[in-house]
Amino acid sequence: MENNNISILGAGLIGSLLGIFLRKRGLDVSIFEKREDRRHQLYKEEGRSINMALSDRGWKALEKVGLKDKIKDLAIPMYGRRIHDEHGNTTFQQYGKDGEAIYSISRGKFNQILVDEAEKVGVQLNFEHKCEDVNIYKKQIKFSLPKWEAKKHQANVIIGADGAYSALRSSMQKQERFDFSQHYISHGYKELSIPPTAEGEFAMDPNALHIWPRGKFMLIALPNPDKSFTCTLFLPFEGTKVCFDKIHDKKDVESVFKTYFNDAYNMMPTLGEDFFKNPTSALITINCYPWVKNQCLLIGDASHAMVPFYGQGMNCGFEDCYVLDGLIEKYGTTSWELIFEKFQKMRKPDTDAISQLALENFIEMRDAVSDPKFLIRKKIEARLHELYPKEWIPLYTMVTFSDIPYSEAYAQGKIQDRIMNKVMADPLITQNWDKLDYEDIIDQVETARMV
Ligand SMILES: Cc1cc2nc3c(=O)[nH]c(=O)nc-3n(C[C@H](O)[C@H](O)[C@H](O)COP(=O)(O)OP(=O)(O)OC[C@H]3O[C@@H](n4cnc5c(N)ncnc54)[C@H](O)[C@@H]3O)c2cc1C
């Protein structure tokens, strides 16, 4: 049946997982990917090994397609943040309750498994097919192939999972009443690396996400199964004392790292080379609507790219797949208009909320986490959650360890934030936090919710 024929653009994390979901619903699925098939080469992305944090929403989607156990074998649990101060001292801040963790996983290996699985369940894969344009009304896709070949493909249903610079979205932008905005933050990022020790061991605690918060900039590191760490340096591009524009040679790199990240510097023997070999990349937020036009749908980063500071871009895209699959389960595939319309209405408030939270969390990560008052605040919130598990759920827990809609988490988080600001305004809070009237705080939450 015509309606059962789906063309997905992009075999990234979201496109390949969506392919699996749709194929498992008995649909004919073809994925078109601009890159060549690199699954069987040693995994490296432009010379870098990049890893990501996978959390509950991502796991939920993987579980639904039966991939949770396979992926878990490759993932390293990180139970909290390990904060490195400028003198090399570290403190550990647990993310959630005992046993709750986010998981570090190699993006390339993960993508490879998803594409392999898509192929296994019968998705047709077309590599080296770069979408140049989509005629939304005719549902015709123009591809460029290697050697300047071109190809037209007549589709029935088109889903753009082709990332932040989506070609489907560009074609939709030519339509009337398509809202679009993009915003680059002033910071960029660069991937670096901490290799295993001479004894072949992890150079730091592998079960933590390491952060070197330095106010306007920061370094983070996530563990890899080969006992190395992938580090990401976030710096302003220009205009501040420490910024990418002012780092010209290895001596400059050394000077910045020795001054601000000395303990990390001592574990990075190839820092100078890596810094100039690896690209400096920008960080973008994309906002657009509608996501649907004539049976063409945007999903994942194509519809809502966000900055990476909540570690939710991929998790949110996986949740997109989960929600879309739930709608197909409920309504069948006879009316894609109905399903896509419901999908965008449901998801847009949630993806707006997590995009905003991701921007806000940058300040928390690069600055607040090193403030002793921040630790007290977290302790109070943890106590409230322990005493009143339903009435008070810390924002990080709602986003990372639950599937509470992001928009609800956002609204609830703002109420809690206001109340915590009042609690923290007490000049003696550092001494008194243990003796607070926790019941009264919960009463305040209940009252605020009713207003
Ligand atoms: C530094 C950094 C760290 C991050 N860390 C995390 C994290 O820890 N946790 C988390 O959840 N998220 C994280 N993210 C976000 C995450 O990377 C994205 O949300 C996720 O990759 C989105 O997947 P996607 O499939 O929608 O897009 P992409 O991963 O961009 O994949 C798009 C695919 O489409 C293909 N494509 C593009 N254009 C075309 C075209 N014209 N024709 C055909 N194919 C095309 C591309 O080659 C690619 O394969 C991070 C992002 C960054 C930048």
Side-chain angles (χ1 to χ4, degrees), residues 125-142:
L125 299 173
N126 305 274
F127 289 95
E128 299 184 275
H129 277 63
K130 180 175 185 227
C131 169
E132 297 291 352
D133 183 54
V134 179
N135 181 324
I136 307 283
Y137 288 101
K138 291 187 180 160
K139 288 185 272 178
Q140 248 172 22
I141 312 172
K142 267 193 214 159

Side-chain angles (χ1 to χ4, degrees), residues 353-369:
I354 188 59
S355 287
Q356 181 57 29
L357 286 171
L359 282 166
E360 291 171 15
N361 209 44
F362 187 25
I363 299 168
E364 178 161 322
M365 278 181 91
R366 69 181 203 220
D367 204 0
V369 287

Side-chain angles (χ1 to χ4, degrees), residues 9-16 32-35 50-55 103 107 111 129-132 143 160-168 189 191 222 232 234 282-283 299-302 304-317:
L9 304 176
L13 294 162
I14 310 308
S16 44
F32 300 90
E33 164 60 48
K34 73 173 177 186
R35 291 178 307 185
I50 300 172
N51 48 15
M52 359 243 309
L54 179 59
S55 52
Y103 289 77
R107 176 197 282 267
N111 208 156
H129 277 63
K130 180 175 185 227
C131 169
E132 297 291 352
F143 290 108
D162 48 346
Y165 301 94
S166 165
L168 177 60
Y189 71 95
E191 307 276 346
L222 277 76
T232 313
F234 295 95
L283 293 163
I299 200 164
D301 272 19
H304 51 66
M306 64 192 76
V307 293
F309 305 112
Y310 230 115
Q312 285 294 311
M314 165 192 65
N315 287 291
C316 173

